[in-house]
Amino acid sequence: MAEEQKTGIVETKTVLSGIKPTGELTLGNYIGALKNWIGLQGQYRCFYAVADLHAITIDIVPSELRNRSLDLYAMFIALGLDPEKCVLFVQSHVPAHAELTWVLNCFTQFGEAKRMTQFKDKSQKNPQNINVGLFDYPVLQASDILLYQAHYVPIGKDQQQHLELSRVIAERFNNRYSPTFVVPEGIYPKFGAKVFSLSDPAAKMGKSEEDAGGCVFLTDDADTVRRKFKRAVTDSDTFIKYDPAKKPGVSNLLTIYASMAGVTVKAAESEFAGKNYVDLKEKTAEAVIETLRPKIEAFKKLRADKNYLAALMKSGAEKAAETARKTLAKVYKKIGFIDPRG
């Protein structure tokens, strides 16, 4: 801090986040995560990844993984992430992620990893494929964060436990050797942090949702979007009010409308005062369609230009690797590995 006061330079904070290329991006991903990412890229030094290493903890067809990775990278840009303002990269293009994970495995207690609720949940859903990678997933996630010395990680409540493990590992390493890793904190969006299924307002709208009717995918055509909102679950009342406890379906629609229309939930509630659920569903569907239309057109153009995407991926990987290598070299030196450069 004294040095900052002397020079007048304030250190730029770093943000890290990523999404797995499994399943198609949903409206929930856009409102709950990506809109937040886009806003952060002008405020911090941001690293955003296509987290393909995380994707292989489940069975996935190789061609599907490649295509979904390209889709996701192109969609990042189409939605508003600017490669000139943030570092966009594919996780497997930076070997330091896997290398640091092995080191951090040795600083993670078995009991800590075993307590992760997502491992328990996914093991129950896929009892035929309880692999070590699935168990070790949170340590790889810690490596993702700590490699870039991330001060902040945009997360939802379902990722709090993994972030806390990252903090524990960082502090353990720092205490054993000397300050090496920034101990990360979570950024929790105040609005739209969680979008729920249209068919089950108690369940999160996610890429892996079994009921596709309750999930709006970003690439859904206009008629499909209208049909899904038309069938959205509300309640037996007739008035529109934001009350997540008593009116979860209506509150979810108001949240979506407000985010797409660029207004507050309170303003959205006032706008629909005296109107019926049909009006709310139709206007929300149209707001989604009109907001996403230019972004999906941009996505299609980007996705068709493989050479351009490849060039951006290469550049992003080089930028990410530059930072990652510095952290990894520092870690290797502290734990006693011999520097190959002599």
Side-chain angles (χ1 to χ4, degrees), residues 133-164:
L134 184 63
F135 182 77
D136 203 33
Y137 183 106
V139 184
L140 175 57
Q141 199 168 57
S143 296
D144 300 337
I145 297 166
L146 302 182
L147 263 178
Y148 300 97
Q149 305 293 352
H151 297 83
Y152 304 119
V153 183
I155 58 171
K157 291 183 179 179
D158 57 340
Q159 289 292 328
Q160 280 181 312
Q161 193 182 33
H162 287 181
L163 178 62
E164 187 55 37

Side-chain angles (χ1 to χ4, degrees), residues 174-194:
N174 290 349
N175 290 335
R176 179 165 178 180
Y177 297 100
S178 60
T180 306
F181 297 119
V182 170
V183 179
E185 298 178 18
I187 294 179
Y188 305 92
K190 294 180 180 178
F191 170 71
K194 197 169 186 178

Side-chain angles (χ1 to χ4, degrees), residues 12 66 70 120 184 192 219 319 333:
T12 301
R66 279 190 288 270
L70 286 165
K120 296 176 183 177
T219 54
K319 292 175 184 176
K333 181 178 181 180

Side-chain angles (χ1 to χ4, degrees), residues 62-185:
S63 59
E64 181 181 330
L65 178 57
R66 279 190 288 270
N67 285 326
R68 290 201 183 281
S69 295
L70 286 165
D71 286 347
L72 186 54
Y73 195 89
M75 189 64 82
F76 279 173
I77 300 169
L79 292 175
L81 292 176
D82 186 345
E84 296 299 319
K85 294 181 180 179
C86 62
V87 179
L88 291 177
F89 67 101
V90 177
Q91 186 187 27
S92 64
H93 292 179
V94 184
H97 286 261
E99 295 175 85
L100 183 60
T101 298
W102 175 251
V103 174
L104 297 188
N105 278 334
C106 301
F107 291 84
T108 307
Q109 297 302 302
F110 182 81
E112 292 170 338
K114 191 177 180 181
R115 283 195 294 272
M116 297 294 106
T117 55
Q118 283 201 8
F119 171 70
K120 296 176 183 177
D121 293 343
K122 290 181 180 181
S123 296
Q124 290 174 354
K125 291 179 181 177
N126 299 284
Q128 303 304 316
N129 187 26
I130 306 175
N131 57 73
V132 175
L134 184 63
F135 182 77
D136 203 33
Y137 183 106
V139 184
L140 175 57
Q141 199 168 57
S143 296
D144 300 337
I145 297 166
L146 302 182
L147 263 178
Y148 300 97
Q149 305 293 352
H151 297 83
Y152 304 119
V153 183
I155 58 171
K157 291 183 179 179
D158 57 340
Q159 289 292 328
Q160 280 181 312
Q161 193 182 33
H162 287 181
L163 178 62
E164 187 55 37
L165 180 62
S166 300
R167 291 173 53 85
V168 168
I169 294 170
E171 289 172 343
R172 182 174 292 144
F173 193 97
N174 290 349
N175 290 335
R176 179 165 178 180
Y177 297 100
S178 60
T180 306
F181 297 119
V182 170
V183 179
E185 298 178 18

Side-chain angles (χ1 to χ4, degrees), residues 239-265:
F239 62 95
I240 296 172
K241 179 178 176 58
Y242 185 77
D243 186 341
K246 296 180 180 179
K247 300 173 74 67
V250 171
S251 299
N252 190 41
L253 290 172
L254 284 170
T255 295
I256 294 170
Y257 178 78
S259 181
M260 294 292 101
V263 299
T264 64
V265 171

Side-chain angles (χ1 to χ4, degrees), residues 45 47 94 147-148 316-327:
R45 186 181 183 221
F47 292 84
V94 184
L147 263 178
Y148 300 97
E318 288 171 350
K319 292 175 184 176
E322 183 180 1
T323 296
R325 280 195 299 265
K326 290 177 182 177
T327 298

